Amino acid sequence: EQVALIGEHLEEEAARFARGDLDDPAAIHGEDMPGLAELRAGAAEIDIQLEQLDDGALLSYTTGDPTLIEALHRWGEAQVSDHGDHAQ
């Protein structure tokens, strides 16, 4: 049941991210979260793929824009820093 909930949550987050809606991470990590402003502005240039796994789900973010790549790395590092290694 928990694995299904994880998949559903990540599906919702992927759809929000694709619209440039990063309000959920901002509410948890703050509006000054690393990479957040750049990702909001460039969300349309980022491809997001959701893969359902036996033990959860995986979101992959792809872009050719070096600024957005750097922002994604800073944003991801902030996620792991706040949530722990299980957030990878």
Side-chain angles (χ1 to χ4, degrees):
E1 181 179 343
Q2 291 299 312
V3 171
L5 291 173
I6 291 167
E8 290 172 17
H9 172 68
L10 289 181
E11 187 173 354
E12 291 171 8
E13 290 302 315
R16 288 181 183 147
F17 191 107
R19 294 190 307 269
D21 176 355
L22 282 91
D23 290 347
D24 279 356
I28 294 168
H29 305 281
E31 288 293 330
D32 60 346
M33 180 181 189
L36 186 63
E38 295 95 329
L39 297 177
R40 279 184 169 147
E45 298 178 48
I46 301 170
D47 181 52
I48 305 165
Q49 296 295 317
L50 173 66
E51 180 182 353
Q52 297 290 345
L53 306 172
D54 291 339
D55 59 351
L58 174 68
L59 288 177
S60 299
Y61 303 86
T62 307
T63 182
D65 183 322
T67 300
L68 292 175
I69 292 169
E70 176 61 29
L72 282 164
H73 283 270
R74 289 186 292 123
W75 183 73
E77 289 167 4
Q79 294 272 0
V80 172
S81 175
D82 285 355
H83 295 293
D85 290 340
H86 68 279
Q88 294 183 13

